[in-house]
Amino acid sequence: RDRDVTGVQTCALPILSLLAEIREKASKKGKTIVLPEGTEERTLQAIKGIVDQKVAKPILLGDESEIKGLASKIGADLTGAEIINPAKAPFRDDFVQAFYELRKKKGVDLDKANKTMLDPLFFASMMVKMGKADGEVAGAENTTGNVLRPALQIIKTAPGVTAVSGAFIIIVPNCEFGANGTFVFADCAVTIDPSPEQMAVFAKSSVATATDLCGIEEPRIGMLSFSTKGSASHEMVDKVTKATAIAKESYPELKVDGEFQFDAAVVPKVGASKAPGSDVAGQCNVLIFPDIDAGNIAYKVAQRLGKAEAIGPILQGIAKPVNDLSRGCSVEDIVNVVAMTAVRS
């Protein structure tokens, strides 16, 4: 995992406004979010912000004396947080049995299930699965793969979703394109080489991110390529053309079109010239990339050269909200991601 997740240290007004709005939405929901990395220092320091701003009711996983000892050492206030030890939880046996039932066809026996439920990441996903928490946030000290693996084994993907994707909210200062400079980019973090069918699912998933988190009232989706409406011929273009057709057929409620080059997707004059007759060309605010290479490069170019703020990745497609942090995250990032998770719960 090689990515940047920005906090509020250098934020322009638009991102501060968006994050304040997300936190406000979260505070009205009263959701419970489990944080399995209970002995990670930034996570402990984030508890005060989570509780004071009422973005969620936090649960920390781990040994209570160890967690409280570390909190005392670093001066972290854990008031308002619940601490649960996976080894001693009263519902532990239920979780072991549930995991065994879920995975017995994969060769998991009760002994393996018992040992697995000692892993805080697996225990956290089971808490979400069993309704003991509304969502999960981890990744400050774990890789994306480690966070996703238990979520996919236990919570699984949402109905109709064939692949999980990682979206970034991109906010470009002083930009007239997109939704006043706000975009959703996907997939930038999870699926390396998606199929056309998976790209169509990413389009559907990204609309929910655009509306729920960004407040974009009218998401317009551009399926990106190096070609616009047949200007080039290649199997990579065919993939995006097929993805666009699938998205239109499977999700007729979406405003989606392609294949588009980036400028044809977001610049009105270019869109009108290269894709006349399209109802979204030049107006797109949700951009679906043909593979993770393009998506990951694009968001970092926007961030580093375009001075855009990049919030994410926001994991899309899991049946219940689980979000991944950067291992370089700040305390403020954790509070923000917990708020986003609560909003999506």
Side-chain angles (χ1 to χ4, degrees), residues 22-290:
I22 289 170
R23 292 186 186 195
E24 177 66 21
K25 287 179 181 178
S27 70
K28 294 177 180 178
K29 292 203 163 208
K31 298 295 184 177
T32 298
I33 304 299
V34 60
L35 300 150
E37 296 165 326
T39 54
E40 199 285 315
E41 292 187 8
R42 290 160 297 173
T43 300
L44 298 186
Q45 291 165 340
I47 294 299
K48 181 173 175 56
I50 293 167
V51 172
D52 286 355
Q53 297 177 56
K54 301 179 180 179
V55 299
K57 300 170 186 175
I59 296 175
L60 292 166
L61 297 187
D63 178 79
E64 184 170 358
S65 61
E66 185 179 357
I67 290 172
K68 288 185 174 179
L70 178 58
S72 177
K73 179 181 176 182
I74 64 176
D77 184 356
L78 301 186
T79 303
E82 182 180 359
I83 299 174
I84 295 176
N85 187 340
K88 299 178 179 180
F91 40 81
R92 172 177 167 74
D93 289 345
D94 293 339
F95 281 17
V96 170
Q97 186 65 35
F99 187 73
Y100 165 71
E101 293 294 340
L102 280 172
R103 303 294 294 175
K104 61 185 178 181
K105 291 182 180 178
K106 299 290 185 180
V108 173
D109 58 19
L110 280 171
D111 182 59
K112 175 68 173 176
N114 185 53
K115 291 176 180 176
T116 301
M117 281 301 108
L118 291 172
D119 184 325
L121 291 172
F122 278 85
F123 193 88
S125 287
M126 190 60 77
M127 287 190 70
V128 177
K129 171 75 172 179
M130 302 290 278
K132 302 290 186 182
D134 298 301
E136 173 191 349
V137 172
E141 62 181 5
N142 280 281
T143 65
T144 299
N146 285 345
V147 174
L148 272 177
R149 194 171 301 109
L152 291 175
Q153 288 184 17
I154 295 170
I155 305 170
K156 304 186 182 298
T157 56
V161 173
T162 55
V164 174
S165 55
F168 275 82
I169 298 171
I170 303 294
I171 303 176
V172 185
N174 305 313
C175 177
E176 70 271 30
F177 306 129
N180 296 316
T182 299
F183 300 85
V184 174
F185 283 16
D187 175 18
C188 304
V190 179
T191 305
I192 294 173
D193 185 16
S195 67
E197 291 79 10
Q198 288 172 327
M199 287 181 63
V201 171
F202 297 166
K204 173 68 172 176
S205 299
S206 297
V207 164
T209 298
T211 55
D212 295 349
L213 296 181
C214 303
I216 296 176
E217 295 181 2
E218 193 172 10
R220 298 184 182 93
I221 308 157
M223 309 295 276
L224 298 186
S225 173
F226 66 90
S227 168
T228 297
K229 295 294 185 180
S231 65
S233 178
H234 192 275
E235 61 184 20
M236 292 171 66
V237 177
D238 295 340
K239 170 181 169 177
V240 180
T241 303
K242 184 176 180 182
T244 304
I246 294 169
K248 287 183 175 182
E249 181 178 352
S250 301
Y251 313 110
E253 74 279 9
L254 299 184
K255 291 193 172 183
V256 57
D257 203 1
E259 84 283 7
F260 291 148
Q261 292 160 294
F262 182 87
D263 55 354
V266 304
V267 181
K269 186 178 292 186
V270 178
S273 172
K274 291 187 174 183
S278 172
D279 60 353
V280 302
Q283 307 172 67
C284 295
N285 44 45
V286 176
L287 302 175
I288 307 301
F289 292 85

